[in-house]
Amino acid sequence: MDTGNQKKIIITGGAGFIGSHVVRLFVNKYPEYHIINLDKLTYAGNLGNLRDVEIAPNYSFIKMDIVDFNGIMNFFEQEQPDAVIHLAAESHVDRSIEDPLAFINTNLVGTANLLLAAKTIWQGNNHGKLFYHVSTDEVFGSLALGESSFFKEDTPYDPRSPYSASKAGSDHLVRAFHHTYGIPVIISNCSNNYGPNQFPEKLIPLFINNVLHNRSLPVYGEGINVRDWLYVVDHADAIDVIFHRGRKGETYAIGGHNEWQNIDLIHLLCRLMDEKLNRAQGSSQRLITYVRDRAGHDLRYAIDASKLANELGWQPSLQFEEGLRRTIDWYLANEEWLQEVTSGEYRSYYDLHYHQR
Ligand code: NAD
Ligand code: TYD
């Protein structure tokens, strides 16, 4: 595709939860860029997330598997992108426990393929180029409950699930390509995200969907595990700031300073759901069911994001209760989206809107 002198950015995984927010932000905010959304459209990829941007002249979509080495290499040679923002991944810990190989293929082999393609086309001319790798705080392992310790950029890696191990491996590959071949890279490691368009298998959208349908709310173990929650739009904003002003070769930790024990978060969610659905207080809470704990369940994640705040001035914009209200409102206003993704119906969207065009 000839986009003249426009800077060309490939965003991988742009049809997913976080990717779709990053694509929307970049397409709308930077008309001077051409954004290519490269996504395999797994169960987690849904072009319905991007209906509002798909007609933008500076946006295009390519259905492609990052594990397909030849496909990726040919596409990079044809398109000559100036930058890559890499979000495509298998992302759910429970699935990684069931099927680790899918995670190793996409997260490790897929990332290696993208790095090799970038290295090939940027060789000898790295000026203005950037491979931005979006990663997770889960690579750092697990913190003790009740401690005031935090994950930071220099926390030693200690991944403990197949998901986090595959993401840790991909982070190492990105750094290795920087040190060995001089590829300009940046990595960010973010805490748990929540917000619109998250597939209803992760805690918050799963529980919203279950309350809506009066299904039980499966709390793993005793519900004492702690996560540090960040509204997805704030994460997309941090990626924008780091992409444009971050230092090459650096890592940035992103978090919400917003730790919640699962059971407290679930009680808040239940209260807000009762309020929004005009149900008697306590109705949703009655759906809570304690179930067998997740194997190897990490106890606590918490991020110290002071490097990002001090160097680049980024701060999360939303208080958690406000973010949770907005998220619930979005799911209630988009029950059709929920129905489509839970039935698998959304998978026909690509065929209808792209394949047959
Ligand atoms: P997601 O599961 O919602 O979306 C992943 C996207 O990647 C989907 O669109 C999917 O179709 C695509 N994809 C998967 N395998 C692919 C392949 N082989 N080739 C091409 N595309 C493929 O994930 P998410 O929650 O939006 O996470 C995005 C990124 O952010 C991931 O790299 C994840 O590790 C990271 N991250 C997520 C969180 C979180 O809380 N969700 C927190 C920190 C970091
Ligand atoms: P999840 O959203 O899967 O994110 P992650 O495991 O990557 O942090 O889970 C968030 C927390 O909620 C985690 O401690 C596991 C717990 N959890 C449940 O108790 N029940 C559930 O059904 C799910 C999906 C998660």
Side-chain angles (χ1 to χ4, degrees):
M1 163 195 335
D2 183 11
T3 54
N5 290 328
Q6 255 182 333
K7 188 171 179 140
K8 212 181 262 186
I9 304 175
I10 292 182
I11 299 184
T12 72
F17 166 48
I18 302 170
S20 61
H21 289 275
V22 176
V23 166
R24 176 173 299 103
L25 178 66
F26 274 66
V27 167
N28 290 333
K29 189 168 171 187
Y30 302 106
E32 68 272 30
Y33 296 164
H34 188 87
I35 303 300
I36 303 176
N37 174 10
L38 186 156
D39 197 299
K40 177 185 173 183
L41 299 182
T42 66
Y43 77 94
N46 181 357
L47 288 173
N49 293 345
L50 288 166
R51 272 173 209 176
D52 55 325
V53 293
E54 68 184 5
I55 49 155
N58 63 334
Y59 170 78
S60 54
F61 171 73
I62 171 87
K63 183 171 192 263
M64 190 170 284
D65 186 345
I66 59 170
V67 178
D68 171 9
F69 176 76
N70 291 330
I72 290 293
M73 198 60 94
N74 290 338
F75 190 68
F76 272 57
E77 276 178 347
Q78 176 196 312
E79 294 297 335
Q80 299 287 322
D82 301 288
V84 177
I85 306 179
H86 176 35
L87 295 108
E90 287 293 341
S91 69
H92 189 40
V93 173
D94 291 326
R95 285 180 189 258
S96 83
I97 295 168
E98 293 301 315
D99 181 13
L101 263 188
F103 286 68
I104 290 158
N105 282 328
T106 288
N107 299 359
L108 270 176
V109 178
T111 302
N113 287 344
L114 293 168
L115 286 164
L116 280 166
K119 167 182 170 292
T120 305
I121 62 161
W122 295 344
Q123 221 155 30
N125 181 18
N126 281 333
H127 184 70
K129 309 290 193 273
L130 180 62
F131 191 102
Y132 183 143
H133 180 59
V134 176
S135 193
T136 166
D137 62 351
E138 304 193 23
V139 299
F140 300 123
S142 180
L143 298 164
L145 285 179
E147 261 188 11
S148 59
S149 53
F150 297 94
F151 296 139
K152 292 183 64 164
E153 290 78 5
D154 58 0
T155 302
Y157 276 41
D158 183 22
R160 294 147 45 100
S161 73
Y163 164 63
S164 53
S166 66
K167 290 296 289 187
S170 68
D171 292 10
H172 290 321
L173 281 171
V174 172
R175 287 196 186 95
F177 270 65
H178 176 65
H179 290 292
T180 310
Y181 306 113
I183 303 288
V185 305
I186 295 183
I187 298 177
S188 57
N189 298 92
C190 188
S191 62
N192 286 62
N193 284 215
Y194 70 101
N197 301 105
Q198 188 168 31
F199 194 84
E201 62 182 357
K202 306 266 169 66
L203 180 72
I204 290 177
L206 176 76
F207 278 34
I208 293 173
N209 193 33
N210 285 9
V211 167
L212 266 176
H213 296 97
N214 278 309
R215 291 193 205 114
S216 65
L217 305 176
V219 179
Y220 297 166
E222 296 171 65
I224 56 172
N225 307 64
V226 171
R227 298 291 184 262
D228 174 358
W229 295 92
L230 180 68
Y231 195 61
V232 63
V233 175
D234 279 335
H235 186 191
D237 184 50
I239 289 172
D240 175 18
V241 167
I242 295 168
F243 178 84
H244 287 98
R245 294 195 281 117
R247 285 180 292 139
K248 308 263 166 71
E250 290 286 318
T251 297
Y252 295 88
I254 311 173
H257 283 297
N258 180 41
E259 288 181 60
W260 283 79
Q261 201 149 44
N262 288 343
I263 195 63
D264 295 334
L265 185 162
I266 291 162
H267 284 152
L268 172 62
L269 182 80
C270 287
R271 179 168 66 73
L272 296 179
M273 287 296 287
D274 286 344
E275 198 182 296
K276 302 269 182 198
L277 295 170
N278 288 321
R279 294 182 183 168
Q281 278 299 330
S283 317
S284 302
Q285 209 162 303
R286 275 195 283 280
L287 298 169
I288 290 175
T289 312
Y290 287 89
V291 298
R292 189 151 52 106
D293 208 356
R294 171 188 282 171
H297 197 170
D298 287 342
L299 269 178
R300 174 174 165 253
Y301 305 143
I303 283 276
D304 172 354
S306 53
K307 175 176 171 180
L308 183 53
N310 296 336
E311 258 187 38
L312 304 179
W314 177 89
Q315 295 281 0
S317 71
L318 266 192
Q319 291 298 316
F320 186 57
E321 185 164 332
E322 172 57 19
L324 203 50
R325 281 181 188 279
R326 284 193 199 180
T327 304
I328 293 171
D329 286 344
W330 186 86
Y331 281 95
L332 295 184
N334 290 276
E335 275 198 64
E336 200 186 333
W337 182 94
L338 260 181
Q339 199 276 328
E340 278 176 12
V341 299
T342 42
S343 69
E345 210 178 300
Y346 67 104
R347 306 184 67 80
S348 60
Y349 188 78
Y350 170 74
D351 293 328
L352 282 175
H353 293 260
Y354 282 85
H355 206 48
Q356 293 171 6
R357 255 205 318 227

